[in-house]
Amino acid sequence: MRVGLSIDPPLASIPTLLAAEGVDVYQTVLRDPGRFGNYGVPEPADRAALVEGLRGRGTWGVAHGSLLINLASPEGRIRNSSVSSLLADLKVAAEVGIDAVCFHVGYSKGHASVDEALAMATRKLGELIERMPAGPRLLLENSCEGSELGQTIPELARLVRDVGAPAERFGLLIDTCHLHAAGFDLAGEDAGQRLADALAAEGILERVVAFHLNDCQLPCGAHRDRHATPGAGTIGIGVPSVARHPAFATLPGVLEVSVEDARLGLQYLRQHGALAG
């Protein structure tokens, strides 16, 4: 797998850090992830520096959407702000050549049933995809906490099917920590095969575009989002098992830990034959 770093703004720092660490995959944010609105949006000079710094380098990048996104919210204001925030990120991503924007779809809290919440999220996702600009792909990321939607592979598959958007517009980003914490045991040498089989059984294996290749601090099924450096958590050898599986080996993956911890994670993945090249 092509594995890289999560890098906070300014965007101008990304080319230098990628070169220093010898990787070509990155994740960043394009606004303050804890707020709606145009807070922390990169200035034109910062955007231009990213474009120029990565020109001709063959990198792959993803922007993480706001942590407030809730396309299933019972409140119309929050649903609409969620759509606006993702659209704004997609537009900046298109301008600077970032390949995708990932997001968590929302929560069932406030609804009479999970089905009702999924139906609401599906409707808003459809509206969003109809309005999104050409270029970057929208990637639904699996979740693991509380009433979050999209915690299981069948629920991800339902959202993909019900939205009905083409694969070049709408795909999946799998976070290994989240999946393990949600109850899909990724520990063990056969983790990659079991994951590929489960995705294929739901007809969404080809929808997987990228990974957050995180280990997990807590036991399988803990339903808490606590990332660990690959090799330092409860998934262990399952992380490189996923990264080197033929279905995933050519995809990009991001380590959502500090740069210092990512160095250790890259070393662990390299030792277990899980890095491309």
Side-chain angles (χ1 to χ4, degrees):
M1 188 176 286
R2 297 171 60 196
V3 181
L5 309 173
S6 182
I7 304 173
D8 291 332
L11 301 184
S13 69
I14 292 174
T16 300
L17 191 50
L18 292 180
E21 300 300 328
V23 297
D24 62 4
V25 171
Y26 67 94
Q27 176 174 283
T28 193
V29 293
L30 299 174
R31 66 195 61 245
D32 183 340
R35 305 176 73 176
F36 281 136
N38 293 322
Y39 298 98
V41 176
E43 295 293 332
D46 195 24
R47 304 183 197 192
L50 177 68
V51 173
E52 186 58 33
L54 295 182
R55 192 179 305 279
R57 286 176 50 175
T59 55
W60 187 91
V62 58
H64 201 302
S66 169
L67 300 178
L68 301 181
I69 298 296
N70 185 1
L71 295 172
S73 174
E75 298 184 39
R77 175 184 60 83
I78 294 176
R79 293 196 305 273
N80 292 333
S81 293
S82 298
V83 169
S84 296
S85 180
L86 286 169
L87 280 174
D89 277 348
L90 286 160
K91 289 174 182 176
V92 174
E95 176 189 327
V96 300
I98 291 176
D99 298 87
V101 172
C102 68
F103 71 105
H104 298 278
V105 70
Y107 302 82
S108 63
K109 184 177 180 180
H111 289 280
S113 67
V114 172
D115 283 346
E116 182 180 285
L118 287 168
M120 177 67 75
T122 297
R123 181 169 66 82
K124 296 307 289 185
L125 261 175
E127 293 176 11
L128 168 62
I129 291 167
E130 284 182 2
R131 297 169 59 190
M132 63 187 279
R137 199 180 312 196
L138 189 65
L139 301 183
L140 171 63
E141 179 180 350
N142 58 305
S143 302
C144 68
E145 292 198 336
S147 70
E148 284 186 294
L149 300 170
Q151 295 192 32
T152 67
I153 289 173
E155 201 159 275
L156 294 172
R158 173 176 171 174
L159 284 162
V160 169
R161 286 193 298 266
D162 289 355
V163 170
E168 63 270 18
R169 303 278 276 171
F170 183 48
L172 296 173
L173 183 149
I174 300 296
D175 186 307
T176 46
C177 171
H178 297 174
L179 197 61
H180 189 70
F184 189 107
D185 191 349
L186 283 173
E189 290 277 6
D190 64 342
Q193 187 61 56
R194 288 187 288 107
L195 177 57
D197 289 345
L199 291 163
E202 291 289 342
I204 55 172
L205 178 59
E206 290 75 20
R207 287 281 181 155
V208 178
V209 173
F211 278 82
H212 286 160
L213 203 64
N214 302 312
D215 210 325
C216 186
Q217 294 181 21
L218 300 176
C220 178
H223 291 279
R224 298 292 299 278
D225 183 5
R226 298 292 183 271
H227 297 171
T229 304
T234 59
I235 301 176
I237 197 65
V239 178
S241 173
V242 169
R244 63 180 179 240
H245 188 277
F248 312 127
T250 62
L251 299 181
V254 173
L255 303 183
E256 288 187 306
V257 293
S258 69
V259 173
E260 293 75 16
D261 287 343
R263 292 186 187 118
L264 298 176
L266 289 168
Q267 182 180 4
Y268 176 78
L269 293 169
R270 191 173 294 111
Q271 289 170 347
H272 290 280
L275 294 187

